[in-house]
Amino acid sequence: MHSDFELVATDQHSKARRGRLKTAHGVIDTPAFMPVGTQGSVKGASPRELRELNAQIILGNTYHLFVRPGLAVIKHFDGLRNFMSWDKPILTDSGGYQIFSLAKLRKISEKGVEFQNHIDGARAFISPEIAMEIQAALGSDIAMVLDECVPYPCDYDYAAQSTELTTRWARRCKRWRGENAERSTPSPQRQTEQATLSHLSTINSQLLFGIVQGGAFENLRRQSAQAIVELDFDGYAIGGVSVGEPEEEMMRAVESAEPFLPADKPRYAMGLGTPPQMLQMVARGMDMFDCVLPTRLARNGTAFTVAGTLNLKNSEFALDKRPIEENCACPACQEFTRGYIRHLVKAGEILGLRLITLHNLHFYLNLMHQARTQIECGTFDRFREEFVAGYKTRTPATVE
Amino acid sequence: MHSDFELVATDQHSKARRGRLKTAHGVIDTPAFMPVGTQGSVKGASPRELRELNAQIILGNTYHLFVRPGLAVIKHFDGLRNFMSWDKPILTDSGGYQIFSLAKLRKISEKGVEFQNHIDGARAFISPEIAMEIQAALGSDIAMVLDECVPYPCDYDYAAQSTELTTRWARRCKRWRGENAERSTPSPQRQTEQATLSHLSTINSQLLFGIVQGGAFENLRRQSAQAIVELDFDGYAIGGVSVGEPEEEMMRAVESAEPFLPADKPRYAMGLGTPPQMLQMVARGMDMFDCVLPTRLARNGTAFTVAGTLNLKNSEFALDKRPIEENCACPACQEFTRGYIRHLVKAGEILGLRLITLHNLHFYLNLMHQARTQIECGTFDRFREEFVAGYKTRTPATVE
């Protein structure tokens, strides 16, 4: 497989990389943050606002969309981008993570996962092949293989077996894609078959990322990385991180896998993280991130700043005429005071969480923008050190 | 008192008027709809979105703002416009309506109203003079006198006594304003006094509207109108309508008072109404309206169209690729389908109610825009008839 990933610059003092990933619907400058659009909407933000924040790609959660509104609806609207009126790239996950964290009565086998969804309890089954089909129907620019994300903590034997299963599933995803992309060259005898499988053009332009698992075990992480890379994907994700483990273990999991990932493919650290964690991951050679913290904490009245998080519900902000963060270019800071936003949050007004959401997304997107500039200028490592030192981690260390 | 109200055109077939009201922070084209910004925010919309919808004035609820964040906070931020970053006119009510509908343990006397607020139960007292002071501190462009809004139904004797009280209170509001505006001409011996009373400039530029009461009784409505007009305000409101009475009684209450209101002052029908009701009121000589229906129904998934309301939660819209309303110029209809908005509402995504809110506010504002154009063209009465005939009232007839 061929991925249109170009390395523009690499840092001399760390493994940080400045890259560009070409997808069917636009270029993604890396390191990149991807706002999470769980149910076909980045919570609290509109597509227009995301465009104005210069988001180049957003994430869609396959599990959530599969459960509601369901695949038939999204197919009817010609895919997720068209459904939600987002004209830039989308990455979809495989659905596996939410099946393991949200669904009920999961039953995992070699074949796939049977589960009852958390909304109406309806039974469903997802296999590696079905995960590929669903993501083809969603029409994302980047699809992820189906994997099993082991919990933390997890014993060695289970982690080892699970990692091997994830590799076998990855192989099946790859094979399905190869077989179905092949069919896109029309031949008369295959027309009926083709008609039953829409979205062939999506399959051909959709990038497919493999996922490295291995829990908290260095040798499993290494083995997983080697096995997945051997299958040759368009990019590689590190999964099973930010699942409750201490930060050092998270760093070690990435450090264990990274040396075995090819330099010329993008690397995606899944579900990360706090602002300092993202910069630490960039320094460890990671290129892409997604995290619900900016939108989730906003709904709780919490804003990100270079000095750490602010809980705008606090009474200390009632008379505060400053913006959330001085010199911030986001739409909330350009126009509104902490005092007003505090009032909105306390009064339960939607505008309050909207403004903090815009600020937080800007903060995350801008942090990656700064990282890119600093890598280009050769000053990334110092930037990272100063940022991490200045940032008081009042944020929860892991995503709930 | 002098009000900068200019009549641009009047309808030949009804009492409809096309006017322009000049206020300290902008001109209001009438007939006008005023979105309701209860707690310093029009629910679901940002100031920027309101500007883009061409809202020329919004309403602020004195009672809500008095209770939370409280007057000290709004004074600290130099008034409501500055606090909420809204650069156009604001009309504030007196707080009376919410004291009578929301607060606990109300005790009304000649002096004013004592009550416990509905949030933390704190005791407070508002008199006509205090209502004027509060609205001066809020810095609105149009202030309302304190009145008693009698419930529906209400017996004649209570309504008669209450209407007289409202007149006496109106006189006290007028007197307070006269006395305090007077002080704005600086004189050395008054400097200390002035220092204790900020917002003198607001008082001098703030318009003050009287309120006609009288319940469902024609003679009381007439008497109230005559008494209030004699006090000479910048504009006149009809209060105590849309409080649960049948629509015919609402119309009759307005018809009873209207002939006694001077033609050269704006008339404001408070708390109205459904789209057909607004046009019926325009035909009866009313110029200004405020109503929570567009924002409140939006939060329930209900959208306004020329054919009546749509509940977008209904399954019939799941695959609907049309906008909420064909040929609608609002931001929601320009970009999103009914099917997508339905999904958002069902999934509890904030963007759903935001999009319906924008559509509904556009619908109300645009209806008044159309009314103005039709009055200018001499075709208003036919427009009104066709609109009312085409509109199926699936909407609740009164505001809850």
Side-chain angles (χ1 to χ4, degrees), chain B residues 34-315:
Chain B
M34 305 183 281
V36 180
T38 309
Q39 306 186 102
S41 172
V42 174
K43 287 188 192 300
S46 70
R48 170 187 170 181
E49 286 165 341
L50 292 167
R51 285 191 292 270
E52 291 176 354
L53 291 170
N54 298 315
Q56 293 182 310
I57 178 169
I58 63 171
L59 185 142
N61 284 127
T62 291
Y63 169 83
H64 286 287
L65 295 163
F66 178 77
V67 172
R68 186 173 54 195
L71 222 51
V73 171
I74 294 184
K75 278 182 177 170
H76 175 82
F77 284 94
D78 297 318
L80 182 56
R81 291 172 61 259
N82 198 50
F83 183 54
M84 67 182 286
S85 194
W86 171 251
D87 58 356
K88 291 179 188 297
I90 289 181
L91 179 147
T92 46
D93 60 12
S94 68
Y97 183 81
Q98 270 83 25
I99 291 174
F100 293 110
S101 60
L102 285 179
K104 291 175 263 183
L105 295 178
R106 290 177 304 277
K107 204 178 145 194
I108 185 165
S109 68
E110 187 66 34
K111 220 180 148 197
V113 204
E114 209 183 319
F115 63 96
Q116 287 188 295
N117 79 51
H118 69 297
I119 301 288
D120 61 10
R123 285 181 182 281
F125 174 75
I126 287 189
S127 65
E129 294 79 8
I130 294 171
M132 292 296 94
E133 260 191 83
I134 295 173
Q135 292 179 79
L138 292 176
S140 54
D141 298 78
I142 303 174
M144 304 299 298
V145 298
L146 185 67
D147 63 334
E148 186 189 7
C149 180
V150 299
Y152 181 88
C154 173
D155 69 51
Y156 183 86
D157 288 349
Y158 189 88
Q161 285 171 26
S162 168
T163 304
E164 283 175 17
L165 179 71
T166 285
T167 301
R168 292 192 297 276
W169 282 2
R171 186 175 297 119
R172 282 164 58 187
C173 288
K174 187 83 204 286
R175 188 186 310 132
W176 186 92
R177 292 285 299 250
E179 287 168 7
N180 288 281
E182 194 183 80
R183 297 200 219 168
S184 66
T185 317
S187 68
Q189 63 271 38
R190 275 186 172 150
Q191 276 183 356
T192 318
E193 232 173 327
Q194 275 186 45
T196 64
L197 183 73
S198 54
H199 311 291
L200 280 177
S201 63
T202 295
I203 297 173
N204 287 321
S205 65
Q206 196 179 43
L207 304 178
L208 180 60
F209 281 21
I211 304 179
V212 175
Q213 288 287 350
F217 306 100
E218 291 185 38
N219 66 324
L220 295 182
R221 286 281 171 188
R222 185 185 70 239
Q223 286 166 24
S224 178
Q226 289 173 320
I228 297 293
V229 167
E230 208 180 297
L231 294 172
D232 187 20
F233 289 98
D234 299 305
Y236 298 93
I238 315 268
V241 284
S242 197
V243 293
E245 75 281 17
E247 194 169 279
E248 315 84 73
E249 292 208 30
M250 186 197 296
M251 295 299 162
R252 206 177 322 125
V254 169
E255 289 161 7
S256 307
E258 186 275 335
F260 305 96
L261 303 178
D264 62 349
K265 297 284 172 75
R267 294 98 169 256
Y268 163 27
M270 300 182 86
L272 290 182
T274 65
Q277 283 172 352
M278 288 206 300
L279 293 186
Q280 300 291 27
M281 289 293 177
V282 168
R284 284 161 176 77
M286 297 295 112
D287 306 305
M288 298 165 70
F289 306 93
D290 78 285
C291 189
V292 296
L293 280 180
T295 46
R296 182 176 293 170
L297 292 192
R299 297 199 299 283
N300 185 35
T302 300
F304 287 93
T305 79
V306 291
T309 54
L310 295 180
N311 189 334
L312 288 163
K313 283 185 188 163
N314 290 348
S315 58

Side-chain angles (χ1 to χ4, degrees), chain A residues 211-264:
Chain A
I211 304 179
V212 175
Q213 288 287 351
F217 305 100
E218 291 186 37
N219 67 322
L220 295 183
R221 286 281 171 188
R222 186 186 68 240
Q223 287 166 24
S224 177
Q226 289 173 322
I228 297 293
V229 167
E230 207 179 298
L231 293 171
D232 187 21
F233 289 98
D234 299 305
Y236 298 93
I238 313 270
V241 284
S242 198
V243 293
E245 76 280 18
E247 195 170 278
E248 315 84 73
E249 293 208 28
M250 185 198 297
M251 295 298 162
R252 207 176 322 124
V254 170
E255 288 161 7
S256 306
E258 186 276 333
F260 304 96
L261 303 178
D264 62 349

Side-chain angles (χ1 to χ4, degrees), chain A residues 39-40 43 48 340 349, chain B residues 39-40 43 48 340 343 349:
Chain A
Q39 305 187 100
K43 286 188 192 298
R48 171 187 169 181
Y340 178 59
E349 288 289 340
Chain B
Q39 306 186 102
K43 287 188 192 300
R48 170 187 170 181
Y340 178 60
H343 163 65
E349 289 289 341

